[in-house]
Amino acid sequence: MQGLKRSLQRELNSFYQKLQQKDFLLQHVTKGAFSRARAKLKPEAFVELNDVGIENFYQHAPYQQWRGFCLLASDGSTAILPNHPSIKKEFGITNFGPYANSPRSVARISLLYDVLNFTTLDGQIGSYNTSERQLLKQHLDKIKPGTDLLLLDRGYPSYGLLFELQARGIQYCIRLTDDWWLEARKLCEGDEDREVVFQLPKNKKELRKQYPDASIDIRCRLVSVTLADGSREVLCTSLLDKEAFPIDCFAELYHFRWNIEEGYKLYKCRMELEAFSGKTALAIKQDFFAGIFMMTTAAVMDFPVVEEIKKAKDVSTRKFPHQINRTNALAMIREMAITLFLKKMVPSALIAFDSILKLTTEYNTPPN
């Protein structure tokens, strides 16, 4: 869970040096023994750990909401994988380059991310040929109908997806391309807010079998929002109540989706996702889900400090408010992994974590 910064053997030596509090790096475990031991560890162990952390957080913490909803966003990305037979078998090979002559294994990944509380509720990984929509469907069981609201970018909308979200009772707000369908084009030319109804196409037989009691009539609302640069975007939403959700609130709502981009920056760049600690398909999935668990752990642990800073902001006279450094928070969690998970010195670790996080806050200055 601490990531691979050096050779595997040096990382193992450093780990045992910290664990045993020794002055020198000594070899206690060989990389071969480590590889044989990790082959017995199921990646799902990290999924279950993440689920426990998520469940406890949302049961006990005064987490942030938007008009009574927990705002979740999903988006996809890719990760370049090592060259290993097990990876080629599970993730396949795709030819890249201008002449399609550069074969490599690449994974398609997807996160379900709380854009207000910065927790990661779910992660999915598949072959490069797996679409983002397919991975999104695997997230849907983690979304709570009535209390969660799903934000999606313009690569996701389809008649089938809107039907399935409605059938599951999941609220949503999705950006459309201007030419996605006729009603969206009309909205760009005239009205700014329109309720529409359309039917699930007859060729979507599998969806009709999956949700036999659901109405094939899909009711949604199209809203045109003007951006700061003067351009317009069309949003498709299930929030039909115009009094509870006036048109003016949707620019703010959709803007929150940007936080998942920041989440990916933290996950892929700061945590160095592609610096895998092993070369097998099993090791890739272990690292992928362990990284998600660490992201959630950092978000849960820094939540009290974030709330304290927000309260101080309300009475502060500073021109620019303070915010925590999330890269620093994640780095501290990785460094404290032995103290937290093996030595179980939780109270002292939390006190140190909060103190350091408060001392390393930074100004939240707007972009130029």
Side-chain angles (χ1 to χ4, degrees):
M1 290 190 295
Q2 294 189 347
L4 191 63
K5 304 289 186 181
R6 300 167 290 181
S7 69
L8 180 56
Q9 187 61 64
R10 287 185 60 82
E11 290 288 356
L12 286 170
N13 296 345
S14 178
F15 174 81
Y16 276 94
Q17 180 189 21
K18 292 178 181 178
L19 182 62
Q20 298 178 352
Q21 298 179 332
K22 299 293 185 181
D23 294 328
F24 303 100
L25 287 173
L26 299 175
Q27 182 170 310
H28 291 272
V29 175
T30 65
K31 62 181 181 180
F34 172 77
S35 297
R36 289 191 294 273
R38 77 177 299 176
K40 303 174 184 178
L41 177 63
K42 294 182 178 180
E44 291 78 13
F46 296 108
V47 177
E48 292 181 14
L49 285 170
N50 193 69
D51 288 345
V52 170
I54 289 292
E55 183 179 359
N56 277 279
F57 176 74
Y58 288 99
Q59 280 185 354
H60 303 295
Y63 59 89
Q64 294 294 312
Q65 294 179 300
W66 180 86
R67 298 187 181 226
F69 286 107
C70 182
L71 296 186
L72 307 181
S74 182
D75 204 359
S77 187
T78 58
I80 298 175
L81 306 179
N83 183 16
H84 190 271
S86 67
I87 287 178
K88 293 178 182 179
K89 181 178 179 181
E90 182 153 347
F91 294 96
I93 300 175
T94 304
N95 290 313
F96 293 89
Y99 303 103
N101 60 353
S102 178
R104 62 180 60 178
S105 294
V106 177
R108 180 88 61 188
I109 65 175
S110 181
L111 301 181
L112 182 65
Y113 190 74
D114 184 330
V115 295
L116 296 182
N117 300 289
F118 310 108
T119 55
T120 306
L121 280 72
D122 190 39
Q124 296 293 333
I125 183 169
S127 69
Y128 184 76
N129 293 329
T130 306
S131 71
E132 292 182 351
R133 287 180 187 169
Q134 288 174 304
L135 295 179
L136 172 65
K137 286 175 68 70
Q138 297 177 47
H139 291 315
L140 295 183
D141 287 340
K142 299 284 187 177
I143 304 175
K144 296 180 180 179
T147 59
D148 294 344
L149 192 155
L150 180 63
L151 302 174
L152 296 172
D153 204 4
R154 53 189 170 185
Y156 285 93
S158 69
Y159 295 119
L161 174 62
L162 299 182
F163 168 80
E164 185 163 11
L165 293 178
Q166 178 176 286
R168 285 174 170 262
I170 295 174
Q171 303 289 352
Y172 58 84
C173 181
I174 308 174
R175 184 181 178 184
L176 302 180
T177 56
D178 296 343
D179 59 350
W180 187 63
W181 57 314
L182 180 60
E183 292 297 333
R185 291 199 296 271
K186 287 181 179 178
L187 200 68
C188 291
E189 298 168 358
D191 298 339
E192 291 187 338
D193 192 345
R194 177 184 302 172
E195 187 174 320
V196 297
V197 179
F198 59 89
Q199 288 191 339
L200 182 70
K202 293 182 179 179
N203 61 354
K204 302 294 184 181
K205 296 180 181 179
E206 289 300 319
L207 279 174
R208 294 190 182 210
K209 287 182 181 179
Q210 189 176 354
Y211 302 99
D213 299 326
S215 171
I216 62 172
D217 292 327
I218 304 170
R219 186 179 300 275
C220 59
R221 179 182 172 191
L222 301 183
V223 178
S224 179
V225 176
T226 302
L227 304 179
D229 61 3
S231 61
R232 300 174 74 187
E233 64 183 20
V234 178
L235 304 177
C236 178
T237 180
S238 59
L239 303 176
L240 304 180
D241 189 335
K242 295 184 180 182
E243 292 187 5
F245 306 101
I247 189 173
D248 295 341
C249 76
F250 284 96
E252 175 197 45
L253 170 61
Y254 191 74
H255 181 71
F256 284 124
R257 197 206 70 85
W258 177 255
N259 284 343
I260 193 174
E261 307 291 346
E262 294 297 314
Y264 263 117
K265 183 191 297 183
L266 192 66
Y267 184 45
K268 292 189 66 178
C269 300
R270 305 296 185 262
M271 287 193 64
E272 298 179 284
L273 170 64
E274 293 176 342
F276 296 108
S277 62
K279 296 182 179 180
T280 66
L282 177 65
I284 297 306
K285 289 187 284 188
Q286 288 171 345
D287 285 358
F288 175 75
F289 291 114
I292 289 173
F293 171 58
M294 293 300 286
M295 287 265 290
T296 293
T297 302
V300 170
M301 285 183 62
D302 68 38
F303 182 81
V305 179
V306 172
E307 290 302 293
E308 188 174 328
I309 292 174
K310 286 181 179 178
K311 291 178 182 178
K313 172 188 171 183
D314 295 337
V315 296
S316 175
T317 58
R318 291 192 179 109
K319 182 178 180 180
F320 300 117
H322 274 199
Q323 65 179 8
I324 67 164
N325 184 320
R326 297 196 177 278
T327 301
N328 188 43
L330 188 58
M332 283 194 291
I333 293 295
R334 294 168 72 173
E335 291 170 0
M336 291 180 175
I338 292 175
T339 304
L340 278 171
F341 301 116
L342 295 180
K343 296 185 177 180
K344 299 182 180 179
M345 298 169 60
V346 177
S348 57
L350 291 178
I351 292 172
F353 179 82
D354 288 359
S355 299
I356 297 172
L357 206 58
K358 291 174 185 177
L359 291 172
T360 56
T361 57
E362 55 192 14
Y363 287 112
N364 183 14
T365 55
N368 295 326

